[in-house]
Amino acid sequence: MTPVDFIDFGLRTFMRNPFFTPERISLQQGQSDFRLLDAREGLVVTLGPNTSFFDRPSRSVCRWPGTLTIPRQSPHPTPERSWLANEFANFLYVCFGGGDVKLNRIAASKKQREILLTAGEGNVVEKIDLTKLARKNSSTLLFLQPAYLCSSSNVAIRSVPCDASTMSWARAPYVYQTRPTDDVSTPAILCLVGKTLIWCERIEPGESRDYALGNVIATTANIVSKLRPTSQAHPEDRRIAAIQLGHSSANGIVSNESKPRHIPPAASRICRRRQNSV
């Protein structure tokens, strides 16, 4: 390779770095920006001066000087309780995922900073704007605890016990719950991750979908789900089976009419006698 090739390779590597893209933005105090990487392998969080966001432990892989990480912080104010009640909440959080939600709070100092977050090998990030989700008249968002990556500082995240409908897809005694904030001036961003491609689908009232157990990581509270025994078919499956049975029956009738009719031997002899007599 020539020296020109080495320089070109170095410039390309430099420009592929998410921190040195020409699309650098300028944020004010209290503002934040969440930008997905091109391959959806992670997320770049840009914080304005004196701005913070919440992150799960061991998710930040690159921290620049000038950021402060405060571990085990709650994204919403917690009520004053006794020492025994706090210990019980910690026990629920460690063992069952319930109690008070404890996350890492990453705050920027007096200058704008960028933090690179990774979703892990093979994982894909989905960025959800809760403010836009509320415009579609959606209910509270429920999501799995392992699927949580990060959120803006104005998103309240609480752990709630699962009912029978939520338990059928969550497979956990507790799930995380968040709702959009009343302040629409700043975006309420929540990021989720999964081990395969994540897609969002809107289900209208009265509609139903079949999903394999373990393929759902988040849903709104106005969607009811239940486990169906393997011996029980879905109503849509019955309708398709009935249509196929009707088509097969109609095809059988048409095929029988198109076949030549079989004449018994006695009847054929009578026909030949009548023809001879004529």
Side-chain angles (χ1 to χ4, degrees), residues 161-217:
C162 294
D163 54 8
S165 176
T166 307
M167 181 72 74
S168 63
W169 64 267
R171 309 172 308 281
Y174 290 86
V175 291
Y176 283 170
Q177 179 192 70
T178 183
R179 63 178 68 248
T181 58
D182 297 331
D183 185 11
V184 295
S185 60
T186 57
I189 301 298
L190 175 71
C191 299
L192 303 177
V193 298
K195 293 185 178 180
T196 57
L197 180 63
I198 302 176
W199 77 95
C200 298
E201 184 174 358
R202 182 176 176 84
I203 301 178
E204 298 295 334
E207 291 184 345
S208 62
R209 296 286 189 274
D210 273 356
Y211 294 104
L213 186 63
N215 287 351
V216 180
I217 66 171

Side-chain angles (χ1 to χ4, degrees), residues 114-187:
E114 292 180 340
I115 298 94
L116 175 63
L117 304 179
T118 177
E121 184 179 359
N123 293 355
V124 180
V125 178
E126 180 70 22
K127 184 177 69 173
I128 299 177
D129 190 340
L130 298 179
T131 307
K132 294 182 179 179
L133 188 67
R135 295 173 186 171
K136 300 179 181 179
N137 299 324
S138 298
S139 183
T140 305
L141 184 67
L142 305 175
F143 55 96
L144 297 177
Q145 300 163 19
Y148 174 78
L149 177 62
C150 68
S151 72
S152 57
S153 58
N154 59 340
V155 176
I157 300 175
R158 302 177 185 274
S159 61
V160 295
C162 294
D163 54 8
S165 176
T166 307
M167 181 72 74
S168 63
W169 64 267
R171 309 172 308 281
Y174 290 86
V175 291
Y176 283 170
Q177 179 192 70
T178 183
R179 63 178 68 248
T181 58
D182 297 331
D183 185 11
V184 295
S185 60
T186 57

